[in-house]
Every structure is written in C-alpha cells, then in structure tokens.
Amino acid sequence: MTPPPPLAHARRTQPRLAVVGNPANRRVRFFQDAVRAAGLPEARVVPWLDVLRGGARFLDGETVRLDSPGEDPEVERLLRGTSDTTRVEGTGLWYERFTAAVSALAIGVRSAGAVLVDDPDELAVLFDKRLGHGRLREASVPVPESPTSGPDAPPVRGWEDVRSLMADAGARRAFVKLAHGSSASGVLAVETAPSGRVQATTSVERGPDGRLHNSLRVRRYRTEHEVAAIVDALAPDGLHIERWLPKASQAGRAADLRVVVIDGRATHAVVRTSRSPMTNLHLGGARGDLDAVRAAVGAAGGRWSQALEVCERAAAAFPGTRCVGVDLLPSSGWRRFAVGEVNAFGDLLPGLTGLPGSGAEGLDTYAAQLAALLRTSTNPANPATSASRATPATRTTMSTTGTSTT
C-alpha cells in the first residue's frame, strides 16, 4: 500500500478549523501546535462552557473538531452536578447531559453550514461501555465475555446482581465498570473464591460518609461488605461487567496496549504496564517496550500486523468517528488479542510518533489527525466516507520495524 502524502503536501487549500474544547487544556494546545506546524491559521476555539450554556456559535464553512470536555471544574459541575472533581458518582447524569449537548451542537454546526468531523450518534455509543461492547461483538471483534453487552442486556441494580451475573457466567474474576466512566474511574477488578471470599482492586476511595472519590493510589478491599457498598453506590449510574482475561506480562508486570486508529489505519501504539490490574499511566502504570512486544508476538507464532488488524476492525465498527483509541488486551503468552474498549478521546499520548508504514511516521497523534483531515477535506460534506480510510485488509503490508514509545 502506498503511504499517504506527508503533512506538508497534504493539501493546497486551507480549511477553516474550529475545535470544541477547554481553552486552557493541553489537548487544545497540542492540536493548535499541529495546526501551526502545518502552516495553517490557528483553529478557532469554541469552549465547552459556551456549548453547555447554549452560547456556542459556528461559522459557515468551518470544519469542527470535538475534543474531550474533561479536566475543567466548571465544565464538570455543569455535566455532573457537583463541583468536586474527585467524586466518582454522577456519570449517569454526565452522560445524559454530554450526549444532549453534542446533539444540540451538531444541529448548530449543520445550521451554520459548518461540518462536524465525527458522528454524534457514535459518540453516544462510545461513551456507553455496554453499547460499545455490543457493537464490537456484533462486528465479530474479539472482546471479553460480558453479561451486560448490548442494548438489551439486563440492568445491574447492585452487588447482588453483579454476584449473580458472575456466577451464571462461571466467572470468578471480572471487571465491574461504570457504563459511562473513563480513565479507570469507578473500575473494580473483582475476585471471588469458592469459599465465598470476595476482594476488589480499585482506585476508588470510600470516605467516612460513604461517598466515593477517585484516588491516584490503587487499593484493595478485602471484604464482601466493602465491595458491595461500593458497587451499590455506583449502580444507579449504570454498570458494565466483563470477564477478567489473564493478560500477558512484560518484565513481570501486566501489559496491554493503547492503539490509536485514524481513518481506519492503526497509526500509534503504546505499551502500558502495571503491577495492578489497571494499567492506566496516571495510576502508576508505565510505558513498556513496543519492540519487545513485537518480538514476543513473533516468538509465540503470531504476527504484529494481526494485532493491529484487530484494532482496525474495532475502529471499523465506528465508521463515523475518524480517530479512536483502542485498548488492546494481549492474552497470557502473547498468542491472542481482545479489545477491552474503544475510546472516543483516546489520542492523548504526548511525544509518541507514528508506527512505521502507517503514514504517520514522525507525527504525533494530533498532527496525524490533522494530516488525515487535510487529505480528505476535498469532500467536507462527508469526511468519513473518504477512500483514504484504510480497511483491515491493507494492514498485511505494514512494516514491523521499531518505533519510539517515549
């Protein structure tokens, strides 16, 4: 496959860009850095606060990119109904308000004669782990078994439902996740024993008043009473349950990967390792060695390109979303891969440049997205239909030589 043209030659006509984000956030800064590096005028920033307060305006001919509304206390208050940004509860309300805001934003964009980069209906699926899991399963993407997958799954009303669903599935270990959570917020890695003993590993801290807070320290609750209290407090926001798959390891630490897929092509990958079940970097996880992963996959009789194909198949289940971050779960021994979830705003990987053969060599995730946008802006009415969006079948020609994971 011929690699896409480099950024500097991607297109002669300059689009008018706007980005919906939190102006002081590093995500917006990274995107603006990419815009300036491309020699384009800075993107017009539309604050999430304006969107949520009904004051956002868009201009005819603009191409509008959405970025995460996270990491702003006032935005969080408007979405979650609390000014305490450490609180775990409130994700159900967050989801309701966020999806309503995006739907209204999409109408405003269309009415102004502007173009929204991504499909708002797909965002609603991506931010519901139950719906996202069901979409992947329907697309025959390998995923952990789940009794809460898809729109017709039974509701999880509390710990008794979790215990019953785990038992019915024959799962002694499972991840219990907030349906609308992110960054491992509210995730519990639950283990049960034949003796009836229950324990859970999580970053959730339960205060004396019973309220739940996110913590940067992963802790273990060792009694069923403690675990049940947390699950019962989270259940009103919606819960998703997945079988806990044994992960591969690197240097004695559990390992998984975040793979960014842009326009159907896996462009960036980072290995995440941890001594706990949660590999999120902000919870003490560390970046691992991608070259060592490729070597381990080859030694197990597999091909690295097949792992990337799994990610591209997952992204293909969301054809209206131009960039996603795929959480790829390698099985013990590096022989098989499953997809944990697909993230709408999973591109925050500072300093990481593109995979060899991806067309994003030397570009970070933001510059690579901009390059893809420039390549397809000749058809702004429907950028998601561009012929440049790769299909999984094109992956077989990708080089598997080394890349940086700094």
Side-chain angles (χ1 to χ4, degrees):
M1 178 179 179
T2 302
L7 178 61
H9 304 292
R11 197 171 183 273
R12 296 178 181 176
T13 302
Q14 296 182 350
R16 296 169 58 191
L17 299 172
V19 55
V20 178
N22 295 324
N25 191 270
R26 56 182 174 164
R27 290 174 177 269
V28 171
R29 185 173 72 252
F30 291 151
F31 183 67
Q32 294 284 37
D33 288 346
V35 170
R36 284 191 293 269
L40 300 175
E42 282 199 353
R44 189 174 69 89
V45 180
V46 180
W48 272 110
L49 281 177
D50 288 355
V51 172
L52 295 173
R53 292 168 174 166
R57 297 293 180 267
F58 300 94
L59 305 179
D60 183 28
E62 281 186 325
T63 297
V64 181
R65 165 190 165 87
L66 297 186
D67 216 323
S68 171
E71 301 180 9
D72 183 288
E74 181 61 14
V75 170
E76 283 291 292
R77 185 189 68 80
L78 291 174
L79 287 173
R80 292 162 55 87
T82 177
S83 58
D84 186 348
T85 58
T86 72
R87 284 287 298 279
V88 180
E89 301 98 326
T91 55
L93 180 62
W94 183 98
Y95 177 78
E96 178 184 333
R97 291 179 174 177
F98 173 71
T99 53
V102 171
S103 294
L105 178 153
I107 293 172
V109 169
R110 287 194 298 269
S111 298
V115 177
L116 189 61
V117 171
D118 293 320
D119 184 343
D121 292 333
E122 286 190 357
L123 274 180
V125 177
L126 287 164
F127 275 98
D128 188 318
K129 297 183 193 303
R130 301 162 299 191
L131 298 180
H133 189 283
R135 177 78 65 89
L136 294 172
R137 186 190 59 190
E138 290 172 1
S140 298
V141 174
V143 289
E145 294 178 25
S146 170
T148 56
S149 178
D152 299 323
V156 180
R157 294 157 295 192
W159 170 245
E160 289 304 318
D161 284 349
V162 170
R163 185 101 197 225
S164 175
L165 289 168
M166 287 178 63
D168 290 346
R172 295 203 175 277
R173 304 202 312 164
F175 280 95
V176 179
K177 304 178 179 181
L178 283 167
H180 313 299
S182 61
S183 302
S185 176
V187 173
L188 292 91
V190 176
E191 300 174 82
T192 63
S195 63
R197 186 172 61 87
V198 174
Q199 68 177 21
T201 305
T202 180
S203 62
V204 173
E205 180 178 359
R206 187 167 182 260
D209 58 0
R211 294 181 177 180
L212 307 181
H213 298 267
N214 286 306
S215 169
L216 295 179
R217 182 172 73 85
V218 176
R219 66 199 68 217
R220 184 167 291 170
Y221 294 95
R222 300 183 182 275
T223 70
E224 183 169 4
H225 175 76
E226 292 175 305
V227 175
I230 294 173
V231 171
D232 288 345
L234 294 176
D237 284 313
L239 294 175
H240 175 57
I241 303 169
E242 293 178 352
R243 183 183 290 272
W244 180 347
L245 301 179
K247 285 183 183 178
S249 63
Q250 186 174 98
R253 297 162 64 93
D256 63 17
L257 297 96
R258 167 64 59 84
V259 179
V260 174
V261 182
I262 299 172
D263 276 3
R265 190 73 181 267
T267 58
H268 299 73
V270 64
V271 185
R272 307 181 300 185
T273 71
S274 177
R275 299 195 186 281
S276 84
M278 276 74 75
T279 59
N280 302 72
L281 300 180
H282 72 284
L283 296 178
R287 289 192 181 188
D289 186 337
L290 189 59
D291 288 334
V293 167
R294 280 194 285 254
V297 172
R303 289 187 294 119
W304 169 241
S305 60
Q306 291 175 326
L308 297 183
E309 284 171 10
V310 171
C311 299
E312 292 172 348
R313 286 167 53 199
F318 302 93
T321 305
R322 300 198 62 168
C323 176
V324 295
V326 179
D327 290 343
L328 188 65
L329 312 178
S331 68
S332 178
W334 298 98
R335 293 181 181 85
R336 293 179 301 278
F337 292 86
V339 172
E341 59 188 73
V342 178
N343 303 272
F345 302 129
D347 54 359
L348 185 61
L349 297 171
L352 186 70
T353 54
L355 294 165
S358 68
E361 298 90 338
L363 303 179
D364 68 14
T365 57
Y366 291 89
Q369 289 175 73
L370 182 59
L373 185 63
L374 294 174
R375 287 195 300 271
T376 59
S377 59
T378 53
N379 184 20
N382 190 7
T385 62
S386 167
S388 74
R389 299 192 70 161
T391 62
T394 66
R395 174 56 52 196
T396 56
T397 62
M398 173 174 276
S399 166
T400 59
T401 56
T403 189
S404 167
T405 59
T406 56

